[in-house]
Amino acid sequence: MSHTSQAGSRRRHLESGAGAAEYAAIIVVVMAVAAAVVLAVSGVNVGRAVTCAVSSVFGDGSGCASADDGLRVDPADNVVQDESQTSTGGGSVGTDNPVFNVSAGFDDQGKTTYAQNEDGSGQYRVSDSKQGFVKGSVGKDDLKVGSVDVSLEASASGALTITDTTVYDCADPASCTQFGKDNAEEFDNRTRQGVSQIMGGGDTEVDGTASSYEHTTSGSIELSVKAGAEVDVDDSEISASAEGAASMTFEHTTTYAADDNGDKGDKTGEEVSTQYELNGSVGAAAEVVEKEVNGLEVEAHAGVTLSGGIGEEVTYKEDADGNLTELTFQTTSNWSSGSTLSVGVEGEDDNGDDTSPFTGAGETQVGYQYETTVTVDVTQLSDTDRKVVEGYVYSMSSKSPVLPKAALNPSVPADSDDALGTIIHEHAQVTTSKYEVASASAENEYDFVIAKYRSSQEYEHRRLVSQQYLQAPDGSGRRSYASTGAVD
């Protein structure tokens, strides 16, 4: 009797304590639900609000985090750093006179790229590009302003490029590092294709099973203006330059899966993008060497540069059946500073004729890149919204350099009559990233009077410094930025 009474007393005591906590929790949930109903009138998703509130009371709050999973960039696709190595060889023929010149030529380029994702996975891309181009320019290089020699040049160029890329995926840092070590020589050789093999290297096979393949055709147009000035000071030459360029590129990529043997398999989709870029740079250099060495005239300059630019890109993807799956807007800006070094060599043979002039130049740059990506997953839209996006993609508006207003400012609700803007604001995954960037390049040119041969090498590295994404709309309809946590 006494034992039963004591047990019942303890049970009632425990139940009483649990009941108090439950009552408090219920009150909180009721208040949260009531708030969610009020917010629902303003258009906020009730399910998200209720799930978040209940999860916070009875769990670890994971319900709140999962609600934003679709808006935060996937760690498996979030590149935190990448690097590329490029080697180009090519030639051109054309006319050249003091006023204008026209040339046409062919470039062959090999490129390897490695990207490391936030989740530790990685991807190696090995590309081989063939490019045909034509270029025309007009300018004067014998202008005089006081004691300063001035040159001006305006040019226009067009190019058609065909690129084949083999993609190799790796699952984690250890396997990625090992894959890179095992194929270090192969990757280096693969950057020297076709004409570039004159400079050494070869077309060796990568030791690994491919994950996918890509075939890309792209066309580009570039307009540029360049100005330069030179002046002699105390037997030393000082030069300054400024350059601006605007370009447009249209690119069409077809992707293929790899079969069981790693060979090219079935087509998996298409990707079409239009890019616009504005770039500018200024620099100054001073003569460091001017002398004759073994009958050759050698001249060298060293200097500094400051450059910057902005770019816009519109990209859409289709599946293997031609159905629209994704629309992406990307804006990029960058600035960097660095140093330059150039060397020129001229000479005469035993008959007094000019030998083939040689010029070489190298440059290093460090700076920052800022990138905002706005992506709409079309497969998740209603039929009505899908038609709106398709209307934009398959019309001339998608080829315009002017992006939709909502793509430039996606955190603010769009105007009521802006259907595409409303879709972007409510459904787009928006990520802003800041990267540290560094690059180095070198280029050599041999002039054979009627023809020229060029070879160049480039190295680029980019590391994520900070990253944010837009969360779901709040009660006022605005979206706020939060850190992705990709950078510690």
Side-chain angles (χ1 to χ4, degrees):
M1 177 81 176
S2 174
H3 175 75
T4 302
S5 177
Q6 290 176 354
S9 176
R10 284 196 301 270
R11 185 166 56 251
R12 284 192 299 271
H13 175 71
L14 291 174
E15 289 174 348
S16 176
E22 290 171 354
Y23 292 148
I26 291 173
I27 292 173
V28 172
V29 173
V30 170
M31 292 176 65
V33 172
V37 172
V38 173
L39 292 175
V41 179
S42 301
V44 174
N45 188 306
V46 179
R48 178 179 183 274
V50 173
T51 301
C52 180
V54 173
S55 174
S56 297
V57 173
F58 292 103
D60 57 2
S62 59
C64 301
S66 62
D68 277 337
D69 283 349
L71 299 176
R72 186 245 197 263
V73 60
D74 188 342
D77 299 320
N78 189 23
V79 177
V80 294
Q81 64 176 330
D82 53 22
E83 61 183 31
S84 65
Q85 180 179 345
T86 307
S87 182
T88 304
S92 63
V93 295
T95 63
D96 191 357
N97 63 60
V99 179
F100 71 92
N101 69 75
V102 177
S103 62
F106 175 82
D107 276 350
D108 182 56
Q109 183 180 96
K111 182 176 183 178
T112 62
T113 302
Y114 170 65
Q116 180 183 329
N117 299 317
E118 181 186 346
D119 69 349
S121 63
Q123 185 180 84
Y124 286 88
R125 300 168 60 86
V126 181
S127 302
D128 177 19
S129 298
K130 312 295 184 185
Q131 181 185 88
F133 65 87
V134 60
K135 178 179 180 179
S137 65
V138 59
K140 294 281 288 182
D141 59 3
D142 57 354
L143 301 176
K144 205 77 163 160
V145 179
S147 61
V148 180
D149 295 320
V150 178
S151 63
L152 297 172
E153 180 181 302
S155 64
S157 62
L160 177 65
T161 307
I162 297 176
T163 303
D164 287 294
T165 302
T166 305
V167 181
Y168 301 87
D169 291 333
C170 47
D172 52 65
S175 61
C176 291
T177 300
Q178 190 60 49
F179 186 80
K181 288 181 178 179
D182 292 342
N183 289 283
E185 182 177 354
E186 286 75 8
F187 287 151
D188 185 59
N189 287 339
R190 291 286 298 208
T191 63
R192 297 177 172 84
Q193 303 290 322
V195 178
S196 302
Q197 291 183 6
I198 295 175
M199 306 304 294
D203 187 7
T204 56
E205 292 297 326
V206 174
D207 183 17
T209 302
S211 305
S212 60
Y213 294 84
E214 298 175 1
H215 178 76
T216 302
T217 302
S218 63
S220 63
I221 297 175
E222 180 174 325
L223 305 175
S224 64
V225 178
K226 182 187 298 184
E230 294 182 353
V231 61
D232 292 330
V233 179
D234 296 332
D235 296 327
S236 181
E237 183 181 272
I238 297 177
S239 61
S241 63
E243 184 173 357
S247 64
M248 185 199 75
T249 302
F250 179 80
E251 194 170 86
H252 186 175
T253 299
T254 304
T255 56
Y256 301 87
D259 60 21
D260 294 338
N261 298 319
D263 298 322
K264 183 186 289 186
D266 296 332
K267 171 184 171 181
T268 58
E270 307 266 353
E271 179 176 314
V272 178
S273 66
T274 306
Q275 305 167 32
Y276 302 87
E277 293 186 1
L278 293 173
N279 293 288
S281 64
V282 293
E287 182 181 277
V288 291
V289 171
E290 184 181 16
K291 60 172 61 179
E292 186 172 309
V293 180
N294 296 328
L296 299 176
E297 293 182 6
V298 180
E299 183 176 335
H301 281 76
V304 295
T305 61
L306 178 65
S307 61
I310 185 170
E312 298 178 349
E313 181 176 350
V314 181
T315 303
Y316 67 87
K317 295 181 179 180
E318 298 176 335
D319 61 21
D321 298 322
N323 299 312
L324 185 66
T325 59
E326 187 175 281
L327 173 63
T328 299
F329 304 96
Q330 187 174 85
T331 57
T332 304
S333 62
N334 63 83
W335 72 267
S336 60
S337 60
S339 59
T340 62
L341 177 64
S342 63
V343 178
V345 180
E346 294 185 1
E348 296 180 351
D349 58 22
D350 295 336
N351 297 322
D353 297 325
D354 290 340
T355 59
S356 300
F358 163 82
T359 58
E363 182 174 354
T364 59
Q365 293 278 321
V366 293
Y368 291 96
Q369 182 183 83
Y370 303 87
E371 186 176 273
T372 297
T373 304
V374 180
T375 301
V376 178
D377 184 351
V378 182
T379 64
Q380 301 299 313
L381 300 179
S382 66
D383 291 340
T384 301
D385 288 347
R386 175 190 286 269
K387 290 180 180 179
V388 172
V389 177
E390 289 176 343
Y392 171 80
V393 167
Y394 299 128
S395 71
M396 287 302 293
S397 60
S398 64
K399 308 300 185 295
S400 167
V402 180
L403 299 185
K405 180 180 178 182
L408 298 173
N409 194 15
S411 62
V412 179
D415 296 335
S416 58
D417 59 347
D418 185 358
L420 178 61
T422 299
I423 293 170
I424 291 173
H425 173 69
E426 294 182 350
H427 300 284
Q429 179 189 77
V430 182
T431 305
T432 64
S433 307
K434 176 182 178 182
Y435 300 89
E436 284 182 348
V437 293
S439 64
S441 63
E443 181 173 349
N444 301 317
E445 182 175 289
Y446 302 85
D447 191 342
F448 300 101
V449 184
I450 62 172
K452 296 180 180 180
Y453 176 78
R454 302 173 312 282
S455 66
S456 65
Q457 297 78 40
E458 297 179 11
Y459 173 80
E460 296 180 349
H461 181 83
R462 188 176 70 159
R463 182 180 68 86
L464 185 66
V465 176
S466 62
Q467 188 177 69
Q468 296 179 314
Y469 75 102
L470 274 182
Q471 303 176 94
D474 59 19
S476 66
R478 296 185 66 91
R479 298 177 63 178
S480 301
Y481 280 99
S483 172
T484 63
V487 181
D488 295 334

